[in-house]
Amino acid sequence: MSHLSPETIFSPTVARQQLAAAKDWSYIDSWLSIKFASQAIPSFERNPSTLKALLSLASLNETADEEQELLARSREKALTAIQTSLQNDANAELLHTLEDSLTPEGQTSLETLASLSTTFNLSTPSPELIGHKLLSLQTTSYTLSQASSRVATLQRSLTTELTNLSTLIASLQSPSYQAPDDLPKQTVDLQRKAKILSSKLPEIRERIATLSSSSNTSTPKVTVETIKAEEEKFKEWLKRVKDLETQVKAFHGLPQDIDLARLELESLRMELRDFTRERDGLFEGLVERESPKKSRR
């Protein structure tokens, strides 16, 4: 009774709980001593949570041990049955003789065939079936290698994107993207300006409406006939402009000064008169030279 607390003397329920816990701890200690047969048991805190976890672990361990024991017994029975069947087989001696008569290469081939049959879980192995299995494994291996290559490429892309995102985050966290110190003041100023503009908005709308109504009353109504008449006037003015341009081109090359232009015009007129007299003289001489010939005829 030395391991019981003073409360257990006056409380049977607490006494039963502590006795059950003591039995559980005794079971855990024996289980740990078996598991750590040649080693010291590590120190740990003894509390209800630890006891519960260790009990669950011990239960799972015992279940696993029982399953392994059953599996070992099943394998042992199967091996015994196979050995018994081989001993009772009439062809056992023939098989042993054939096995002893095999060359080293044949022995190696037989062992390889048996190993592949066991690996592929084939009850009746044949070279064709093993070849199909090997081809299937090769195809699966190639598919997995391609998938691994694609995953590696995707991983590199994700790593690059992660690096870019880290760079972007670092740039966004730089001082150039930080809000200015006077941002609250700017916000207050903008709000004040917005309120002022909002208060003036009805007045501005009223002015716009007044201007629109006055412009509508003062502006004459435009019709198709008016546009055609204006177009005809424009064509007449365009024709007059072309005539004036033709007249102006006649004075092209004259000086800009009016007096100089008049002098040059007068000199050109005199030159024209000289050319006219020269032409008339040539014409008269031609007439006189041709006139006697006509009289002889």
Side-chain angles (χ1 to χ4, degrees), residues 69-126:
E69 185 177 357
L70 290 174
L71 183 60
R73 289 178 182 176
S74 300
R75 289 178 177 175
E76 185 178 357
K77 289 181 180 180
L79 182 60
T80 303
I82 292 172
Q83 290 176 351
T84 303
S85 63
L86 289 176
Q87 290 175 0
N88 297 330
D89 190 1
N91 298 323
E93 185 177 356
L94 178 60
L95 292 176
H96 285 299
T97 303
L98 290 174
E99 185 177 359
D100 294 336
S101 301
L102 290 174
T103 61
E105 292 80 5
Q107 186 72 24
T108 303
S109 300
L110 182 61
E111 290 178 356
T112 303
L113 182 62
S115 177
L116 290 175
S117 302
T118 305
T119 303
F120 294 146
N121 195 18
L122 298 175
S123 58
T124 55
S126 64

Side-chain angles (χ1 to χ4, degrees), residues 70-220:
L70 290 174
L71 183 60
R73 289 178 182 176
S74 300
R75 289 178 177 175
E76 185 178 357
K77 289 181 180 180
L79 182 60
T80 303
I82 292 172
Q83 290 176 351
T84 303
S85 63
L86 289 176
Q87 290 175 0
N88 297 330
D89 190 1
N91 298 323
E93 185 177 356
L94 178 60
L95 292 176
H96 285 299
T97 303
L98 290 174
E99 185 177 359
D100 294 336
S101 301
L102 290 174
T103 61
E105 292 80 5
Q107 186 72 24
T108 303
S109 300
L110 182 61
E111 290 178 356
T112 303
L113 182 62
S115 177
L116 290 175
S117 302
T118 305
T119 303
F120 294 146
N121 195 18
L122 298 175
S123 58
T124 55
S126 64
E128 293 81 4
L129 188 57
I130 292 175
H132 285 299
K133 288 287 185 179
L134 287 174
L135 183 60
S136 177
L137 286 176
Q138 188 70 21
T139 304
T140 304
S141 176
Y142 177 76
T143 303
L144 291 176
S145 65
Q146 292 297 315
S148 176
S149 177
R150 289 193 293 270
V151 169
T153 303
L154 179 60
Q155 183 180 5
R156 288 193 296 269
S157 300
L158 291 176
T159 303
T160 304
E161 291 296 329
L162 181 60
T163 304
N164 295 335
L165 287 176
S166 300
T167 305
L168 179 60
I169 291 173
S171 64
L172 291 177
Q173 292 176 349
S174 61
S176 58
Y177 285 94
Q178 298 298 325
D181 297 334
D182 58 344
L183 182 61
K185 182 180 178 182
Q186 294 180 7
T187 305
V188 172
D189 293 340
L190 290 175
Q191 290 177 352
R192 181 175 55 81
K193 292 179 181 179
K195 289 181 180 179
I196 294 173
L197 292 175
S198 299
S199 61
K200 292 183 178 180
L201 187 59
E203 182 182 356
I204 295 173
R205 287 178 177 173
E206 185 178 356
R207 289 182 180 179
I208 292 173
T210 304
L211 292 174
S212 299
S213 60
S214 61
S215 61
N216 291 333
T217 55
S218 61
T219 304

Side-chain angles (χ1 to χ4, degrees), residues 21-29 44 46-47 50-51 54:
K23 290 181 180 179
D24 291 338
W25 278 117
S26 177
Y27 167 73
I28 292 298
D29 290 336
F44 57 90
R46 292 176 176 267
N47 53 41
T50 306
L51 178 61
L54 289 174

